[in-house]
Amino acid sequence: MSISLTESAAQRVSSFLSNRGKGVGLRLGVRTSGCSGMAYLLEFADVINEDDTVFKDKGVKVIVDGKSMVYLDGTELDFVKEGLNEGFKFNNPNVSSECGCGESFKV
């Protein structure tokens, strides 16, 4: 099982955590939502729960809850800038399809 970050994503998360002044890492998860069934959850983590799996990549702790791990295993988190838009991009090998707007996915 693994979750990884590109250098760009690691730098961005480290910067956010530093500016925030607290937190143990970045929490990744999934929730039921959207037209394809599932959406990504991305937030700062202040605590690590008992059922969490913790990955450390490029100096950043990535925390994933037990229920989300099956959907996120092997995912690489990237931070991209495309024109005037910038944001995190999930490169998830488990995805079988995505909705047209790109906000939700199906495994």
Side-chain angles (χ1 to χ4, degrees):
M1 294 189 156
S2 69
I3 303 290
S4 62
L5 301 169
T6 64
E7 192 62 44
S8 176
Q11 289 175 0
R12 192 64 167 190
V13 171
S14 293
S15 175
F16 281 147
L17 284 169
S18 177
N19 289 339
R20 188 170 180 255
K22 65 176 183 174
V24 294
L26 182 70
R27 180 173 295 282
L28 298 183
V30 296
R31 60 183 168 87
T32 303
S33 178
C35 46
S36 290
M38 305 191 94
Y40 294 108
L41 176 68
L42 182 71
E43 61 189 11
F44 295 111
D46 292 326
V47 297
I48 297 172
N49 300 318
E50 193 173 299
D51 72 328
D52 289 339
T53 301
V54 180
F55 301 93
K56 190 167 184 180
D57 189 25
K58 297 174 182 65
V60 175
K61 285 184 183 175
V62 180
I63 299 129
V64 181
D65 67 90
K67 291 180 183 177
S68 297
M69 192 63 224
V70 68
Y71 304 107
L72 296 175
D73 186 28
T75 297
E76 176 190 64
L77 183 64
D78 194 6
F79 184 78
V80 295
K81 293 182 181 183
E82 296 172 347
L84 297 175
N85 298 318
E86 63 180 26
F88 288 100
K89 179 180 177 184
F90 292 82
N91 299 314
N92 186 342
N94 305 302
V95 171
S96 62
S97 65
E98 295 178 320
C99 68
C101 65
E103 293 297 317
S104 62
F105 66 96
K106 184 176 184 177
V107 175

